[in-house]
């Protein structure tokens, strides 16, 4: 009997250990350990975006690029020549790191060693969308930070602005995201800007683009390889407001990136683009649901990873 009860007790201990190692994320994760965490993040995002609305798009993009490399683990925030910051999709374009640093330093002052950089980035992305007029959603929390960064994964997994619909679908599917998630998440391009070097081929050579729109972009992005870093809004009707104008522009062949227009180009996603262009509420609902799903990609929980003191380097 003693032997049997020992086995049962040991089994319970093992089960509890496994449960903690695979702890599920929870919206109330910091309620006791750092009750002001969410308000600190929200207040800093509000301050930064009131000075520079574009930063909202930059923070949202950081979260997306972080999650697509090796899960939502803050790996993109790590400095280093072999890290994700130096990968093609991030080099010379990823920005917002100082905003994350500012939030982190305030959180360290309030409750040292408690709130992860991965969670800061996830919440800051949500707060950025809300601040610019988009939907809100409840963010599950409890991600821990990676100690390594994966440049190879970033280069392989993050969609390119020249992607075809087939490429896009494969990359999102590999992350467990559906076609609907992909089209909804692409609506993040209702805010933000792109560099001339990224759009040059589209505005001079693509045929699936409104000719007057293409021409209007060419003065800021010459064909002679000058002005590579000049910026154009991803959606120019309301570039600092999170709304459904991105989809309306796609239906007029005014997608700035080749990959954007692929979503409305006679393929399987045309109907969803049309739905979102006509119904902002449906877009907002699907975007919020897809953001939660993306934020749940391979988080480090339990005893995996760490809580970085400085988001730029492992402890």
């Amino acid at each position: 009997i003693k032997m049997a009860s020992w086995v049962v007790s040991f089994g319970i201990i093992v089960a509890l250990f496994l449960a903690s190692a695979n702890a599920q994320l929870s919206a109330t994760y910091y309620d006791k350990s750092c009750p002001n965490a969410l308000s600190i993040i929200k207040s800093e995002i509000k301050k930064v975006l009131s000075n520079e609305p574009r930063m909202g798009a930059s923070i949202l993009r950081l979260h997306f690029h972080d999650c697509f490399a090796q899960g939502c683990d803050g790996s993109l925030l790590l400095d280093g020549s072999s890290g994700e910051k130096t990968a093609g999709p991030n080099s010379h374009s990823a920005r917002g790191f100082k905003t994350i640093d500012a939030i982190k330093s305030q959180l360290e002052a309030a409750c040292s060693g408690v709130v992860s950089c991965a969670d800061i980035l996830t919440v800051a992305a949500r707060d950025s969308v809300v601040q610019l007029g988009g939907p809100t959603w409840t963010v599950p929390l409890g991600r821990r930070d990676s100690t390594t960064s994966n440049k190879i994964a970033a280069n392989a997994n993050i969609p390119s602005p020249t992607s075809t619909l087939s490429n896009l679908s494969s990359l999102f599917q590999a992350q467990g995201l559906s076609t609907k998630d992909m089209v909804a998440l692409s609506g993040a391009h209702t805010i933000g800007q792109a560099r001339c070097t990224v759009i040059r081929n589209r505005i001079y050579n693509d045929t699936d683009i409104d000719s007057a729109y293409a021409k209007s972009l060419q003065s800021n992005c010459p064909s002679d390889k000058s002005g590579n870093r000049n910026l154009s809004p991803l959606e120019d009707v309301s570039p600092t407001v999170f709304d459904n104008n991105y989809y309306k522009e796609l239906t007029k062949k005014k997608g700035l990136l080749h990959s954007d227009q692929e979503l409305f180009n006679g393929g399987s996603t045309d109907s969803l683009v049309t739905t979102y262009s006509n119904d902002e509420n449906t877009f907002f609902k699907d975007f919020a649901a897809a953001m939660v799903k993306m934020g749940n990609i391979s988080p480090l929980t339990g005893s995996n990873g760490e809580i970085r003191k400085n988001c730029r380097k492992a402890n």
Side-chain angles (χ1 to χ4, degrees):
I1 292 168
K2 281 183 181 175
M3 179 67 179
S5 78
W6 181 87
V7 169
V8 170
S9 301
F10 180 73
I12 290 168
I13 290 164
V14 169
L16 287 172
F17 174 77
L18 289 173
S20 76
N22 296 300
Q24 292 302 300
L25 302 179
S26 157
T28 58
Y29 191 82
Y30 297 114
D31 281 10
K32 290 193 173 71
S33 57
C34 193
N36 295 327
L38 295 184
S39 59
I40 288 170
I41 298 170
K42 182 179 182 177
S43 141
E44 185 63 22
I45 288 295
K46 191 171 182 178
K47 186 180 89 179
V48 170
L49 267 58
S50 62
N51 291 326
E52 187 194 355
R54 181 191 170 207
M55 188 57 74
S58 301
I59 298 288
L60 184 54
R61 185 173 185 258
L62 283 186
H63 176 49
F64 170 55
H65 284 203
D66 180 46
C67 292
F68 264 57
Q70 57 179 23
C72 310
D73 59 3
S75 53
L76 172 52
L77 303 172
L78 289 168
D79 285 342
S81 58
S82 59
E84 290 163 38
K85 281 184 181 177
T86 63
N90 299 321
S91 180
H92 303 301
S93 66
R95 59 196 296 278
F97 300 109
K98 287 180 182 173
T99 300
I100 301 302
D101 291 341
I103 295 170
K104 180 62 173 171
S105 66
Q106 288 179 49
L107 287 168
E108 284 301 303
C111 32
S112 182
V114 174
V115 183
S116 69
C117 301
D119 274 347
I120 292 170
L121 189 50
T122 309
V123 174
R126 187 269 313 269
D127 291 348
S128 294
V129 170
V130 173
Q131 180 69 16
L132 296 176
T136 190
W137 58 92
T138 301
V139 177
L141 301 163
R143 296 164 193 77
R144 287 165 64 86
D145 297 323
S146 68
T147 54
T148 59
S149 190
N150 194 332
K151 180 178 180 174
I152 293 169
N155 279 324
N157 300 346
I158 296 170
S160 149
T162 60
S163 294
T164 62
L165 183 58
S166 171
N167 293 148
L168 290 169
S169 299
S170 300
L171 290 168
F172 276 79
Q173 196 174 7
Q175 302 289 354
L177 297 168
S178 68
T179 299
K180 183 163 87 167
D181 296 327
M182 174 183 78
V183 178
L185 290 168
S186 297
H189 285 179
T190 186
I191 52 175
Q193 315 235 0
R195 292 169 301 148
C196 165
T197 185
V198 171
I199 64 166
R200 183 178 282 117
N201 189 61
R202 169 145 176 80
I203 65 175
Y204 286 99
N205 299 320
D206 276 9
T207 53
D208 59 342
I209 186 169
D210 178 86
S211 56
Y213 175 62
K215 198 166 174 45
S216 73
L217 294 161
Q218 290 170 3
S219 59
N220 192 43
C221 185
S223 58
D224 65 4
K225 302 290 167 77
S226 64
N228 276 350
R229 303 197 70 163
N230 291 355
L231 297 170
S232 296
L234 286 159
E235 173 262 282
D236 67 359
V237 178
S238 52
T240 59
V241 178
F242 197 98
D243 54 25
N244 67 337
N245 276 330
Y246 166 79
Y247 301 103
K248 292 180 180 178
E249 294 301 279
L250 290 186
T251 66
K252 300 170 189 169
K253 295 193 173 180
K254 292 182 179 179
L256 185 68
L257 306 180
H258 179 85
S259 54
D260 286 332
Q261 199 58 56
E262 281 287 292
L263 300 179
F264 190 86
N265 200 18
S268 59
T269 52
D270 282 18
S271 58
L272 204 45
V273 169
T274 302
T275 297
Y276 293 157
S277 74
N278 292 324
D279 186 348
E280 188 172 77
N281 287 336
T282 297
F283 161 50
F284 277 9
K285 180 173 66 68
D286 290 353
F287 180 82
M291 284 295 288
V292 172
K293 204 166 159 185
M294 183 177 81
N296 289 347
I297 297 173
S298 307
L300 298 172
T301 57
S303 57
N304 294 317
E306 64 182 17
I307 306 297
R308 279 183 225 141
K309 292 278 191 187
N310 175 344
C311 291
R312 293 174 179 267
K313 58 182 187 182
N315 294 343

